[in-house]
Amino acid sequence: MIHRLSIPTPFAVGRVNCWLIEDDPLTLVDSGPNSGKALDELEQQLAGHGRRVEDLERIVVTHQHIDHQGLVSILARRSGAEVCALDLLVPLLERYSEAQEDDDVLAADLMLRHGISPDVVTALRAVSRMARAWGAKATVSHPLTDGGELAFANRTLRVLHRPGHSPTDTLFHDAERGTLIGGDHLLAHISSNPLISRPVGGRSGDPGSKPRALLTYLESLRATQAMDLEIVLSGHGDPVTGHKQLIEARFEMHERRAAKIAGMLRERGPLSAHEIATTLWGGIALTQAYLTLSEVLGHLDLLVERDQAAELPERDGVVRFSSA
């Protein structure tokens, strides 16, 4: 039996799903953010299944984002549970503060180069530093490898690295039951945003180049679409059934957005990525500047790869794109 524990977060995405696997060892997949409210609700929901934090024997982390890993260290310390995470994720958890700072440096550089003003970048960096408190450093006792297995008394989960939403997205596949524990790889109610982050393990881009998060994510989705699944237990919202159709809908959505951006470049280009984001989302492109910038840059990567757009040399420190 696998139970959903719906844990509050301070983020726009809402509650995060943690999955309690009633097997030997008793396992919690993801933890929720590092807050007293999240911990209190986690304890209450565990109690609803006759369990306590101290009963946990294994904690598994699906990816690096703070709403999924913030309580890992506290839970592991109280329970003595082993902590399992993809080997590529281990240094990001164990060097949490340094890894967060490195990602903020990348984000600031990209925002400046793609047309966001220095004042806004400074403000967003301050907000990001404050948000780090929702995550925390954690020690991993059991690194996992892509294609490896996570064994239980009554099931075996295959470990699958499917980067895109983050560079460390990890899925856990129970082939016997047709179940996939999917983190934020595929969500029913919203499209997972391929947020640009630093590459890990040489899997998300060439050293020194901008990671092409959307292209990586689409490749991962194609691999998931080919799987034989009954249900995807996702990181937010309701579980996904009919994953093949949902992924096809996601492909169509990305094609529509790429076509819209291509049309903007033909009619109004050259444009910076931030100018495109502002046209698409108005004020949201400022308050959610890095998220919307990542979205636009992903679709520009798609257009450049298809020779439908071209990246122009920097002018006044800003990169612009034209129709090819």
Side-chain angles (χ1 to χ4, degrees):
M1 181 70 70
I2 301 179
H3 307 289
R4 175 166 62 170
L5 311 182
S6 180
I7 306 302
T9 80
F11 308 115
V13 72
R15 288 177 175 261
V16 62
N17 294 331
C18 304
W19 298 98
L20 181 68
I21 303 176
E22 290 269 11
D23 205 328
D24 182 15
L26 182 68
T27 296
L28 183 69
V29 180
D30 287 338
S31 72
N34 180 24
S35 77
K37 181 175 177 60
L39 179 59
D40 181 58
E41 288 214 26
L42 179 64
E43 290 176 320
Q44 291 181 44
Q45 292 183 44
L46 283 171
H49 297 289
R51 299 292 190 172
R52 304 174 307 146
V53 168
E54 288 73 17
D55 297 330
L56 296 174
E57 298 170 294
R58 173 188 284 163
I59 300 166
V60 178
V61 187
T62 61
H63 64 294
Q64 66 205 65
H65 292 161
I66 56 182
D67 52 331
H68 293 260
Q69 58 87 277
L71 286 174
V72 168
S73 183
I74 290 173
L75 300 179
R77 186 166 61 248
R78 284 180 51 180
S79 64
E82 67 171 355
V83 176
C84 304
L86 188 72
D87 50 7
L88 299 174
L89 175 54
V90 172
L92 304 187
L93 294 176
E94 297 190 342
R95 297 179 59 255
Y96 172 74
S97 295
E98 296 93 329
Q100 290 287 306
E101 179 62 24
D102 289 344
D103 270 337
D104 279 358
V105 169
L106 171 67
D109 178 64
L110 283 174
M111 286 189 286
L112 290 170
R113 292 185 67 241
H114 291 284
I116 298 175
S117 73
D119 288 348
V120 171
V121 172
T122 299
L124 291 173
R125 285 207 67 182
V127 170
S128 180
R129 287 192 186 98
M130 288 188 291
R132 291 180 200 174
W134 299 104
K137 175 181 178 180
T139 300
V140 176
S141 54
H142 188 152
L144 306 172
T145 57
D146 180 30
E149 293 183 345
L150 198 59
F152 296 78
N154 299 300
R155 75 192 73 214
T156 299
L157 301 181
R158 177 74 66 183
V159 180
L160 303 171
H161 180 211
R162 294 278 166 81
H165 169 67
S166 85
T168 56
D169 287 345
T170 314
L171 316 183
F172 299 91
H173 182 213
D174 184 340
E176 181 181 351
R177 296 169 176 82
T179 299
L180 187 72
I181 301 176
D184 290 355
H185 175 67
L186 184 64
L187 306 178
H189 62 304
I190 55 172
S191 176
S192 298
N193 186 278
L195 196 67
I196 298 175
S197 304
R198 290 178 306 115
V200 292
R203 291 293 301 274
S204 301
D206 297 326
S209 68
K210 175 181 68 63
R212 302 196 300 173
L214 178 60
L215 297 181
T216 300
Y217 182 50
L218 294 177
E219 181 182 350
S220 291
L221 282 179
R222 289 186 192 98
T224 301
Q225 189 179 39
M227 297 175 70
D228 183 18
L229 300 173
E230 295 292 327
I231 192 167
V232 179
L233 306 179
S234 53
H236 300 276
D238 292 333
V240 171
T241 55
H243 74 289
K244 293 179 185 291
Q245 295 84 355
L246 180 59
I247 290 173
E248 194 61 38
R250 295 288 184 259
F251 289 154
E252 292 170 0
M253 182 273 291
H254 286 297
E255 287 295 332
R256 288 194 302 271
R257 183 153 295 160
K260 187 170 186 176
I261 292 172
M264 291 170 58
L265 292 177
R266 285 193 301 270
E267 295 168 11
R268 298 175 47 200
L271 296 170
S272 71
H274 182 56
E275 288 170 333
I276 295 170
T278 301
T279 301
L280 289 172
W281 293 292
I284 294 175
L286 201 59
T287 59
Q288 300 288 330
Y290 194 58
L291 187 149
T292 56
L293 185 71
S294 291
E295 181 85 9
V296 169
L297 287 174
H299 290 93
L300 288 168
D301 286 338
L302 194 62
L303 293 171
V304 169
E305 185 176 70
R306 295 173 176 176
D307 294 325
Q308 294 177 304
E311 181 175 331
L312 304 178
E314 284 188 25
R315 190 178 69 204
D316 301 324
V318 176
V319 173
R320 290 175 175 82
F321 295 82
S322 68
S323 181

